[in-house]
Amino acid sequence: MANALSTAQLWQFSLQLYPHVKQISLHWQDTLGANVNLLLLLCYLEQQHLSLSAEQLRVLSKQLDSFSTQFTQPLRTLRRSSTSAPVSESQQAKLK
């Protein structure tokens, strides 16, 4: 019987694992451009004794890079800048 993937189980797995790997994951994100969510997914798949083919990983990584460039990176930049200064109206408008 094949293992069924569950987004709810992935979410719970990620919530449990992330505190233990947060520091290294964020370091890899900042220094190597790693995608933390992809790292968590790959850990989850490993736990389920599943894996992605090289082609599947390449396609998923490319899609995540595109999403990250368009959405995640601007939000991350805004979040980091907002920790030292209030968010301006123009920055708030970018979020809408």
Side-chain angles (χ1 to χ4, degrees):
M1 181 170 149
N3 293 338
L5 294 178
S6 162
T7 55
Q9 289 175 343
L10 170 59
W11 180 248
Q12 289 305 311
F13 173 85
S14 297
L15 288 175
Q16 291 175 353
L17 179 61
Y18 184 69
H20 303 287
V21 298
K22 178 180 178 180
Q23 186 175 2
I24 191 68
S25 297
L26 294 177
H27 176 71
W28 288 345
Q29 173 185 278
D30 293 341
T31 60
L32 303 173
N35 184 298
V36 174
N37 290 316
L38 180 57
L39 293 170
L40 293 168
L41 171 64
L42 293 173
C43 290
Y44 175 71
L45 290 174
E46 176 66 24
Q47 183 203 47
Q48 299 299 311
H49 305 288
L50 300 170
S51 63
L52 299 175
S53 69
E55 178 63 13
Q56 289 171 319
L57 183 57
R58 186 192 67 73
V59 169
L60 180 56
S61 182
K62 186 176 179 179
Q63 290 172 339
L64 289 171
D65 286 346
S66 176
F67 182 87
S68 181
T69 298
Q70 189 173 4
F71 297 104
T72 310
Q73 291 173 0
L75 287 173
R76 189 177 298 133
T77 300
L78 182 59
R79 184 187 74 231
R80 287 182 178 159
S81 69
S82 71
T83 59
S84 60
V87 177
S88 70
E89 287 185 31
S90 65
Q91 290 173 320
Q92 291 177 23
K94 289 179 185 178
L95 295 174
K96 295 180 182 178

